[in-house]
Amino acid sequence: MPVKNRFAELLPEITAWRRDFHENPELLYDVHRTAGKVAELLREFGCDEVTEGIGQTGVVGVIKGKTDTKGRVVGLRADMDALPIIEQTGLEYASKTPGKMHACGHDGHTAMLLGAAKYLAETRNFDGTAIVIFQPAEEGGAGGEAMIKDGLAERWGINEFYGMHNMPGIPTGQFAIKPGAMMAAADQFEITVTGKGGHAAKPHECIDTTLTAAQIIVAVQSVVSRNIDPLKNAVVSVCVVQTDSTAHNVIPQVVTLKGTARSLAPEVRDQLQEGITRVATNIAAAMGASAEVDYQRGYPVTMNDDEATVWASDVAREIAGEVNLDMQPMMGGEDFSYMLNERPGAYIFVGNGDTAMVHHPAYNFNDDAIPAGSSWYAGMIEARMPAA
Ligand code: NI
């Protein structure tokens, strides 16, 4: 099976949906227009059930196969939200809302899953139930978690979850996947360093918060380089340094550091949290200052199930002829991880070709990837629940 022929026929229609979503980007949970259109289309396709408002603005569609002898239920997930970025693509269907942009291709994911839903509702050539899941707030709002907390897995009796993301740099319509960790746990931390502010000409009467913060910035890197097994993966980045002074001659009372800590294994995640906290508070103490560390755990590791990875890659190979199973995990985060923590499943990349990277103002989802992506979504249903 190369690309399903039906998707060559549906390509203009799916592309039109994609470009409409692109033109009308919405952020986080505020995806009312997008979700409304998704629900309307799912009803038009003849889905057996369409439910809105799961995880605030998520949409769930049910498509029953011709038969259901085994009671198997497979969930397919796409994300719907855009990013707060000023678009610089110059496209005729560029964002109509300045400062909002589909810069991660979620417009493409939503359109591809809609295409698969249309095909599955037409053909129903499977034995079981397909659930199509459209989630809000992937970009930092944990919409996937919100849908899980709303009972997604239990309410629809989902046995397995499959998700897909486009990836620039992979040839268009080709696939890449790996068993185990695909995407990182993405945590954030804020370190508040408090000293004693004062005149910069009299440092001996102050406790210098900027010098303390500078030492903390350097020293937290030792958590990665000295505390964590060099054969394991971790990254710590301090990205924000804020003081309560704007003067060149004032030692600030408070300095705030903000950053991110990423890992691919639970024990490494624990080590990062413990290490950053230990280093920051003790460096501050050594300098006579104090540091308070607020470490917030974000999206967990996106962990592909071994067997599900084989199933997902088999379907991808049938479509694309080959599949890259040797890819490196990525240190970005992905909230499909919450669904994979509930049920086995897999997350795959579909190639977006030689385009700007995701989250870049010149990025655009590649419509040429649609037939492969929609075929994979639909193919997962037919492969996991073959017609009786
Ligand atoms: Ni994304």
Side-chain angles (χ1 to χ4, degrees):
M1 172 184 80
V3 160
K4 288 182 188 295
N5 288 336
R6 185 71 179 116
F7 291 118
E9 291 163 23
L10 289 175
L11 183 56
E13 193 179 4
I14 300 172
T15 302
W17 299 331
R18 204 286 286 183
R19 295 183 178 192
D20 175 70
F21 294 136
H22 191 88
E23 215 171 356
N24 297 283
E26 297 176 295
L27 302 184
L28 291 166
Y29 288 94
D30 190 18
V31 290
H32 298 280
R33 183 190 180 278
T34 308
K37 178 160 177 166
V38 164
E40 186 188 309
L41 285 168
L42 292 178
R43 289 192 185 100
E44 200 182 296
F45 303 158
C47 285
D48 297 283
E49 217 183 276
V50 178
T51 310
E52 295 175 72
I54 304 300
Q56 294 189 42
T57 40
V59 182
V60 178
V62 176
I63 305 165
K64 292 182 177 149
K66 276 182 186 147
T67 53
D68 186 11
T69 62
K70 300 197 178 92
R72 191 191 287 275
V73 183
V74 174
L76 304 173
R77 169 272 202 179
D79 38 17
M80 298 188 285
D81 58 319
L83 283 156
I85 291 177
I86 298 170
E87 180 160 351
Q88 288 170 18
T89 60
L91 293 164
E92 58 186 42
Y93 56 89
S95 169
K96 289 196 291 199
T97 313
K100 295 183 187 177
M101 175 189 177
H102 267 295
C104 200
H106 299 185
D107 48 347
H109 306 160
T110 298
M112 290 191 293
L113 184 53
L114 282 169
K118 177 161 180 157
Y119 164 88
L120 291 168
E122 277 172 7
T123 53
R124 301 185 185 255
N125 197 25
F126 56 95
D127 179 54
T129 305
I131 308 292
V132 287
I133 302 153
F134 298 84
Q135 75 150 82
E138 194 287 320
E139 299 290 356
E145 183 184 33
M147 290 190 83
I148 287 293
K149 282 187 171 162
D150 240 358
L152 177 68
E154 300 82 33
R155 194 164 154 189
W156 282 275
I158 297 168
N159 304 121
E160 297 163 23
F161 283 111
Y162 295 93
M164 178 169 32
H165 205 292
N166 77 93
M167 191 48 64
I170 298 173
T172 311
Q174 295 289 307
F175 293 91
I177 189 171
K178 68 177 287 296
M182 273 282 277
M183 304 285 284
D187 301 338
Q188 57 185 45
F189 57 85
E190 186 169 323
I191 303 169
T192 308
V193 179
T194 306
K196 188 177 169 206
H199 201 298
K202 291 176 172 277
H204 59 291
E205 292 178 11
C206 304
I207 296 171
D208 189 345
T209 45
T210 49
L211 183 62
T212 305
Q215 303 212 30
I216 290 173
I217 293 170
V218 174
V220 289
Q221 292 306 328
S222 72
V223 176
V224 175
S225 66
R226 305 290 85 182
N227 297 151
I228 288 169
D229 180 340
L231 296 177
K232 294 188 175 158
N233 310 79
V235 60
V236 172
S237 294
V238 177
C239 304
V240 175
V241 183
Q242 259 170 347
T243 81
D244 60 0
S245 163
T246 52
H248 65 272
N249 58 355
V250 172
I251 289 175
Q253 177 76 19
V254 176
V255 175
T256 307
L257 305 174
K258 294 180 191 175
T260 184
R262 312 261 170 146
S263 53
L264 296 173
E267 68 276 15
V268 175
R269 193 180 204 186
D270 291 342
Q271 280 181 299
L272 285 176
Q273 178 164 7
E274 184 278 322
I276 290 168
T277 307
R278 172 175 42 80
V279 166
T281 52
N282 286 298
I283 294 264
M287 303 290 289
S290 68
E292 214 175 283
V293 180
D294 179 20
Y295 190 100
Q296 301 278 351
R297 291 196 171 205
Y299 297 168
V301 176
T302 303
M303 194 66 79
N304 278 347
D305 176 77
D306 287 352
E307 271 184 89
T309 303
V310 174
W311 300 323
S313 58
D314 283 349
V315 171
R317 192 178 297 105
E318 281 179 41
I319 295 163
E322 56 181 347
V323 60
N324 176 6
L325 271 157
D326 277 336
M327 62 162 289
Q328 296 291 317
M330 295 199 176
M331 299 311 276
E334 162 61 69
D335 81 344
F336 183 56
S337 51
Y338 290 102
M339 297 186 192
L340 292 183
N341 277 357
E342 287 296 302
R343 299 286 186 271
Y347 179 75
I348 198 167
F349 289 127
V350 63
N352 204 53
D354 187 17
T355 66
M357 186 35 72
V358 289
H359 295 211
H360 188 279
Y363 166 85
N364 188 27
F365 177 81
N366 186 343
D367 292 323
D368 293 338
I370 288 172
S374 288
S375 295
W376 182 80
Y377 274 130
M380 284 315 302
I381 297 299
E382 293 179 349
R384 291 302 297 137
M385 302 184 288

